[in-house]
Amino acid sequence: MTDDELIWRISGGSGDGIASTSQNFAKALMRSGLNVFTHRHYPSRIRGGHTYTEVRASADPVESRGDGYNFLLALGDSFARNPQEEAVYGNEEIKPLSENLDELREGGVIVYDEGLLDASEIPNFEERAEENDWHVYPLDLRGLARDMGREVMRNTAGVGATCALTGMELDHVEDLMRDAMPEKILEPNLEILETAYDQVREEYDVDAPDVSVPTGEHDETQLLMSGSDAISYGAIDEGCRFIAGYPMTPWTEVFTIMTQNLPKLGGISEQVEDEIAAAALAVGASHAGVKAMSGSSGGGFALMSEPLGLAEMTETPVVLVEAMRAGPSTGMPTKPEQSDLEHVLYTSQGDSQRVVLAPGTVEEAYEQSRIAFRLAYEYQIPTILLYDQKLGGELTNVPKSHFDRDPNPDLGKTLSEDALADEPHSGDGKFHRFQHDVDDGVSPRSVPGQKGGRFLATGNEHDPTGHISESPDNRVAQIDRRTQKLEAIRADLDGEDTGSYAGPEDAEYGILTFGSQQGTVEEAVGRLNEAGHSVKSYGVSDMLPFPTEQVEAFVESVDEVLVVEMTASGQFRGLVQKNLGRYGEKLSSLLKYNGNPFEPAEVVDGFEAAIVEGDGDASGHQTTFVPAAGD
Amino acid sequence: MSTFSAIGEEREIDRDEYTPGVEPQPTWCPGCGDFSVLKALKQALPEVGRTPEETLLCTGIGCSGKLNSYLDTYGFHTIHGRSLPVARAAKLANPDLEVIAAGGDGDGYGIGGNHFVHTARENHDMTYIVFNNEIFGLTKGQTSPTSPKGHKSKTQPHGSAKEPIKPLSMSLNAGASYVARTAAVNPNQAKEIITEAIEHDGFAHVDFLTQCPTWNKDARQYVPYIDVNDSDDYEFDKTDRVEAQEMMRTTEEALYDGEVLTGRFYVDEDRPSYGQEKRAIGEMPEEPLAERYWDDDYEWERSHDMFLDKHA
Ligand SMILES: Cc1ncc(C[n+]2csc(CCOP(=O)(O)OP(=O)(O)O)c2C)c(N)n1
Ligand code: SF4
């Protein structure tokens, strides 16, 4: 645990502005030169219910939420004390304070809104504070906000108090408020911010803050971005101008961002009747010659299974994004899990061909969104971008230059009319859309409205002209060609270097992971090596076609491998084993499936328990150890 | 744009251009009503002046879905019930295409019922032809949503307890701006109605009564039929929603009593199509989106120049 970082947690009720306040605060920290990372925790409720967001800030790179936190801003849940008393369940009123204490670090700071929360209702509060050396500041944030503006502005008062207590200058916060707020509410907010700041500084002589904001500097412009933002911008830069969808948490974020931006770019977004339609629309638009996408989360993606197969059989390029949440069925709508991996790999009937990519960080989300489109169109194959609620929603800073790339609206092997007029695309006066023998399996296509490119796309097996065929020879030729694409894509991806490695190359042990757990694992690897262990990690990004060679080399190079994933059944480990075909004796699993992502300490403790002590019991954590085969 | 030069080409179009030169000959049973739809389309398309290469025909699954194989246009033989969402998107991506969707009653009113209602509601500019033979043909004779109450089949051995669906009323109520019914036994009317439907700017739904002599032997061959627009017995204003609704209800009930009423039941020339609506509110580009991918001079926007400042 490092002291040179601030992990600020703001807690209150859903709908009380926790998300926007924390986003602004994170941006202010980023602007002051720090690296930031946010973590959202919220219930599946619109109003009320306990929610919090953490903002971690450090001069060093930050890639995970960290362990615990050191500054709590506990605001009340306005819904819990709503006049509609009956809507209150349990003791929600004290939740913003009581629910958060377990993870607060020793020496941490608590600011709570005494206008709304009563610390005396919390059992042993004072004893606990004393034991843990917590510094407690009861402030009437609500009263202050009400007197100077409106009660909802108590978030602003809380931020002012935070700045005063951590030694952070107000200027970045003020700049942001000027950018983001309409004139009418700007003035009172600025006044509340400053008043809270001054009051705290006067009342509590805070020359040496209990927890201070570190100082840092960026050498280039940084952007605060979520995985959902990055996926959307990647799609836009790759020329995607058509999206169709149906809302489902957490995929809705990408759908919303795209919908808000596409019309400005002359693109089209369609909210349709269901997910079957959504995926079918993306297929139809792509068939007509535009770059198109759709997406959903678990249950909605299940409905897309048939259009997905249609895209495979008709070799229509399309990108589907799948934002995982805890399942099965409706599961836990706002909680992350990685357990749709097998669903996405294997859904839809037949010997199917698709690509599945799983970015590990916000930067990678942009990158791989672009790669997903490029592969889909170059190879005429549906490509799925698999991520989860954590990566979709977390905000982190990425250098602006990362996005400074050329657009790529290229449709891949789509023939011009001049090319269509030439042999060998035609035989018997017909366009051969699905030729048997072509390099890399990709047979050039035409789009409706082009002269000389008329063909039939069908979900039935078909001959080179596109007509339904059950000829055995043709069947074999078509399946072999479609499958051949995957080899070509694997070779293509090897040039992209999509995986992420951390730790010393000659390490004794390895950790394998995928998707959103990558950053957390990398942080844990750093700590393990500092603590004298010899560990490296590999965050795998390509789920299909799988980078078998690379993973094999990694496993081969170490004595034992711990596979870290947010599933109960070890789906990723199963995929590794399936592709490697052996090494079962070298792979054990560390699993977490309680609705929360891993914290670095859980990986550190899990590794020590599993590998060093060998019993796998990482006490105090809700993680599960599954030993290697033969153990 | 030269890349889509098949679109808008003005020339004499021969019916035979729509006939696939090689295989396959239709696998439809002798006497199947589906032949009539094929014939009507082959007559209507040249009449409207649409070439095979600017026409996109999207079908569902079923005997009816095979239409694509026998009509040589750009085609998309999709999956069961999903011809409409595929067709809709193609039309949005390239509004200059002539988009036609087709499928059976099971396909369109059963598994694809949700899409049917919503496509009508949105009033996409396309033609939707439903081969209504009151039976599942391809899967060998099961009861369909339009089979009459009491209809017996292997999957409904006691006779269906369900009232048949009322497709004309459904699409009118959902928002279709052109609703007609025609029958395989009347090729002239079929051709005229399909021609009109293609020319109509909006969602044109044609319920096409086709016979399935193989699995629906009891079914009436839809003769004698009456064209309500020609008959003095049926006075109504087809541009008036309420009168149209009333007429449809009569028609849909009469069908199962053995009286086959066909014709145009609702025609609304004023309702803007979905594409027009979307353009009007700035949700769709003026030029077909698909063209842009071929325009070498188009400056593709980058997120870097457009959206990133709000994250800084
Ligand atoms: C998802 C799915 N369910 C079922 C089927 C099997 N199936 C194929 S055609 C058909 C019925 C077609 O009936 P209809 O639409 O009335 O067309 P017809 O064959 O009578 O022209 C069914 C159930 C399928 N292909 N896909
Ligand atoms: S089964 Fe019926 S619908 Fe199908 S081809 Fe034969 S007659 Fe036509």
Side-chain angles (χ1 to χ4, degrees):
Chain A
M1 217 173 284
T2 45
D3 288 329
D4 47 6
E5 64 179 1
L6 171 72
I7 304 183
W8 179 79
R9 183 185 283 194
I10 176 171
S11 80
S14 291
D16 275 349
I18 301 287
S20 58
T21 307
S22 58
Q23 185 169 341
N24 273 332
F25 189 57
K27 215 189 237 189
L29 289 163
M30 176 184 84
R31 284 190 181 178
S32 79
L34 295 167
N35 293 303
V36 295
F37 195 96
T38 72
H39 165 70
R40 289 191 303 174
H41 177 103
Y42 60 106
S44 187
R45 259 174 81 172
I46 307 304
R47 291 279 304 159
H50 175 244
T51 173
Y52 67 76
T53 300
E54 277 174 11
V55 180
R56 183 184 188 191
S58 165
D60 297 330
V62 284
E63 283 166 29
S64 83
R65 60 181 289 199
D67 312 312
Y69 68 102
N70 56 16
F71 194 116
L72 172 66
L73 173 61
L75 299 167
D77 177 348
S78 66
F79 188 72
R81 42 149 216 99
N82 211 304
Q84 310 155 326
E85 281 311 327
E86 61 283 4
V88 177
Y89 357 125
N91 57 351
E92 299 236 333
E93 276 193 60
I94 56 167
K95 272 193 172 177
L97 193 49
S98 66
E99 289 280 298
N100 291 288
L101 297 179
D102 288 347
E103 288 157 311
L104 181 61
R105 294 181 190 171
E106 225 176 270
V109 171
I110 299 174
V111 170
Y112 72 89
D113 189 346
E114 65 172 349
L116 282 164
L117 308 173
D118 184 357
S120 69
E121 278 182 39
I122 295 159
N124 311 323
F125 181 70
E126 275 177 27
E127 288 91 316
R128 288 183 75 183
E130 201 162 313
E131 234 167 70
N132 289 294
D133 187 26
W134 290 334
H135 307 266
V136 184
Y137 300 92
L139 301 168
D140 183 12
L141 303 171
R142 175 198 181 196
L144 192 143
R146 191 182 44 211
D147 293 349
M148 310 189 67
R150 279 193 297 135
E151 218 176 89
V152 289
M153 296 175 185
R154 64 188 187 282
N155 292 357
T156 304
V159 171
T162 302
C163 292
L165 287 167
T166 57
M168 184 174 165
E169 302 290 338
L170 284 186
D171 48 356
H172 292 300
V173 179
E174 287 174 336
D175 282 352
L176 274 166
M177 284 169 54
R178 282 193 192 95
D179 288 354
M181 289 180 177
E183 199 62 40
K184 222 174 80 193
I185 60 165
L186 176 65
E187 280 311 314
N189 266 296
L190 284 174
E191 207 182 327
I192 289 167
L193 182 79
E194 282 158 24
T195 310
Y197 183 86
D198 293 340
Q199 267 188 13
V200 172
R201 292 195 67 97
E202 266 164 41
E203 210 170 309
Y204 306 95
D205 175 28
V206 277
D207 282 342
D210 307 312
V211 170
S212 52
V213 174
T215 51
E217 209 179 298
H218 295 298
D219 36 19
E220 57 169 311
T221 310
Q222 301 288 309
L223 304 174
L224 189 70
M225 252 201 213
S226 71
S228 299
D229 291 319
I231 288 168
S232 305
Y233 296 151
I236 285 167
D237 288 348
E238 208 59 23
C240 172
R241 291 294 182 273
F242 189 100
I243 192 168
Y246 187 84
M248 183 165 184
T249 305
W251 127 267
T252 312
E253 288 176 346
V254 166
F255 186 33
T256 308
I257 297 165
M258 290 296 282
T259 303
Q260 283 168 353
N261 290 320
L262 279 188
K264 295 180 210 161
L265 305 170
I268 296 172
S269 169
E270 278 287 287
Q271 181 183 322
V272 295
E273 58 272 26
D274 59 35
E275 287 87 349
I276 309 176
L281 260 95
V283 169
S286 177
H287 181 73
V290 312
K291 285 194 163 182
M293 75 188 289
S294 182
S296 192
S297 295
F301 189 78
L303 291 180
M304 296 183 164
S305 167
E306 266 222 314
L308 172 69
L310 178 68
E312 292 178 349
M313 191 52 139
T314 56
E315 299 176 65
T316 310
V318 71
V319 173
L320 301 177
V321 304
E322 216 270 32
M324 295 182 279
R325 65 192 214 185
S329 193
T330 320
M332 297 199 280
T334 62
K335 299 291 187 289
E337 212 171 84
Q338 297 180 301
S339 49
D340 291 350
L341 174 61
E342 290 184 343
H343 176 47
V344 161
L345 287 169
Y346 308 125
T347 189
S348 192
Q349 69 275 25
D351 284 318
S352 52
Q353 298 82 19
R354 75 196 63 168
V355 176
V356 180
L357 303 178
T361 61
V362 173
E363 283 183 42
E364 284 182 15
Y366 173 80
E367 206 83 51
Q368 291 183 31
S369 172
R370 296 200 63 158
I371 296 172
F373 274 94
R374 184 177 70 71
L375 295 179
Y377 282 80
E378 274 182 20
Y379 295 91
Q380 302 173 2
I381 193 168
T383 299
I384 299 162
L385 199 61
L386 181 69
Y387 64 109
D388 62 37
Q389 183 267 357
K390 173 183 184 295
L391 178 57
E394 68 199 11
L395 294 163
T396 190
N397 57 300
V398 182
K400 188 172 179 186
S401 60
H402 184 73
F403 304 94
D404 189 3
R405 321 272 179 93
D406 286 337
N408 177 25
D410 187 19
L411 290 175
K413 282 195 198 170
T414 309
L415 298 167
S416 67
E417 290 191 339
D418 289 346
L420 277 165
D422 290 345
E423 300 286 340
H425 307 302
S426 315
D428 343 311
K430 288 260 151 198
F431 174 49
H432 283 205
R433 162 70 182 94
F434 305 100
Q435 298 170 73
H436 285 162
D437 302 311
V438 273
D439 298 345
D440 68 12
V442 187
S443 180
R445 67 174 188 148
S446 63
V447 296
Q450 282 184 314
K451 219 169 207 165
R454 210 189 319 172
F455 74 98
L456 173 63
T458 169
N460 286 63
E461 188 57 276
H462 44 266
D463 68 13
T465 67
H467 279 279
I468 297 174
S469 163
E470 294 189 350
S471 136
D473 289 345
N474 176 72
R475 166 72 173 171
V476 171
Q478 293 291 3
I479 283 226
D480 288 352
R481 182 179 57 74
R482 290 193 297 262
T483 309
Q484 190 193 339
K485 292 183 192 177
L486 287 177
E487 279 163 46
I489 293 169
R490 185 62 257 157
D492 185 323
L493 281 168
D494 285 343
E496 289 278 355
D497 200 16
T498 46
S500 174
Y501 294 91
E505 222 170 285
D506 59 353
E508 207 180 335
Y509 299 108
I511 301 182
L512 269 178
T513 193
F514 84 106
S516 69
Q517 300 313 289
Q518 184 178 299
T520 311
V521 164
E522 289 180 0
E523 184 169 343
V525 164
R527 288 195 215 168
L528 283 165
N529 284 297
E530 265 170 42
H533 299 296
S534 171
V535 197
K536 61 180 178 179
S537 69
Y538 178 14
V540 184
S541 289
D542 312 338
M543 300 293 108
L544 182 72
F546 197 73
T548 307
E549 256 175 52
Q550 293 87 321
V551 176
E552 189 163 81
F554 180 83
V555 173
E556 195 109 87
S557 72
V558 291
D559 290 348
E560 275 183 65
V561 175
L562 186 67
V563 187
V564 174
E565 60 185 298
M566 279 193 285
T567 74
S569 53
Q571 296 184 15
F572 178 58
R573 170 178 155 182
L575 179 66
V576 172
Q577 234 160 285
K578 177 184 167 196
N579 280 284
L580 265 48
R582 56 197 183 95
Y583 297 115
E585 76 292 351
K586 266 192 172 184
L587 309 176
S588 52
S589 288
L590 187 67
L591 310 171
K592 193 172 179 194
Y593 45 91
N594 68 353
N596 295 313
F598 279 97
E599 292 180 17
E602 291 174 323
V603 179
V604 168
D605 295 350
F607 176 87
E608 285 179 338
I611 308 282
V612 184
E613 284 147 36
D615 63 358
D617 178 24
S619 54
H621 296 308
Q622 277 196 15
T623 56
T624 303
F625 174 65
V626 182
D631 262 26
Chain B
M1 195 162 293
S2 71
T3 321
F4 293 111
S5 62
I7 294 176
E9 198 189 354
E10 285 186 30
R11 59 178 174 82
E12 278 291 308
I13 306 156
D14 190 324
R15 274 181 58 170
D16 288 343
E17 284 185 44
Y18 296 92
T19 305
V22 266
E23 279 280 305
Q25 286 310 300
T27 53
W28 289 326
C29 309
C32 175
D34 294 4
F35 286 104
S36 317
V37 186
L38 178 61
K39 193 168 157 216
L41 263 169
K42 277 193 188 176
Q43 291 171 329
L45 278 162
E47 189 129 322
V48 182
R50 288 301 212 166
T51 66
E53 290 182 321
E54 63 184 327
T55 304
L56 176 65
L57 176 65
C58 297
T59 56
I61 299 295
C63 296
S64 44
K66 294 271 171 66
L67 179 70
N68 256 328
S69 300
Y70 318 132
L71 191 78
D72 196 12
T73 60
Y74 268 102
F76 207 139
H77 180 226
T78 68
I79 38 180
H80 199 29
R82 319 296 167 205
S83 63
L84 287 174
V86 173
R88 249 150 81 179
K91 183 73 188 181
L92 292 171
N94 192 346
D96 287 349
L97 292 172
E98 186 58 63
V99 176
I100 298 170
D105 41 279
D107 188 76
Y109 305 148
I111 190 165
N114 195 22
H115 309 310
F116 173 55
V117 170
H118 285 274
T119 311
R121 165 193 169 216
E122 290 168 7
N123 196 33
H124 288 266
D125 181 14
M126 60 170 68
T127 304
Y128 185 39
I129 305 167
V130 181
F131 299 48
N132 184 357
N133 56 12
E134 299 179 17
I135 195 104
F136 283 11
L138 193 68
T139 46
K140 305 195 171 171
Q142 298 81 10
T143 308
S144 100
T146 51
S147 301
K149 191 172 180 183
H151 177 263
K152 282 194 181 166
S153 68
K154 281 189 186 152
T155 51
Q156 303 266 282
H158 305 291
S160 170
K162 303 175 194 184
E163 282 292 337
I165 219 160
K166 300 192 169 44
L168 305 176
S169 305
M170 260 174 86
S171 64
L172 174 78
N173 287 331
S177 52
Y178 183 96
V179 186
R181 170 174 270 172
T182 185
V185 287
N186 185 7
N188 290 336
Q189 187 205 42
K191 185 198 91 178
E192 279 169 24
I193 284 187
I194 300 261
T195 307
E196 265 178 43
I198 294 173
E199 282 174 336
H200 178 77
D201 293 333
F203 187 66
H205 168 216
V206 180
D207 186 68
F208 203 122
L209 300 172
T210 55
Q211 66 279 6
C212 171
T214 305
W215 302 112
N216 211 2
K217 290 193 171 42
D218 303 342
R220 303 160 304 282
Q221 299 292 299
Y222 304 121
V223 273
Y225 75 92
I226 297 163
D227 186 328
V228 292
N229 307 115
D230 291 344
S231 163
D232 292 339
D233 295 342
Y234 300 95
E235 293 270 310
F236 77 106
D237 177 1
K238 63 179 189 288
T239 65
D240 184 299
R241 178 169 276 276
V242 177
E243 289 187 31
Q245 200 151 25
E246 189 52 37
M247 191 59 225
M248 284 180 192
R249 210 171 55 86
T250 309
T251 306
E252 286 172 324
E253 274 164 16
L255 182 67
Y256 295 96
D257 295 334
E259 194 179 23
V260 185
L261 306 182
T262 62
R264 294 85 168 156
F265 290 96
Y266 184 63
V267 181
D268 178 353
E269 300 286 1
D270 299 328
R271 183 175 174 202
S273 72
Y274 185 60
Q276 285 172 293
E277 300 270 21
K278 252 180 113 73
R279 281 200 178 112
I281 58 168
E283 275 196 355
M284 206 172 131
E286 287 301 325
E287 296 301 318
L289 187 53
E291 276 185 2
R292 193 188 300 172
Y293 290 85
W294 299 92
D295 181 355
D296 292 338
D297 297 330
Y298 186 80
E299 295 257 340
W300 286 83
E301 300 89 344
R302 308 190 314 157
S303 63
H304 189 264
D305 308 322
M306 293 200 65
F307 309 118
L308 300 191
D309 281 346
K310 79 181 181 93
H311 298 277

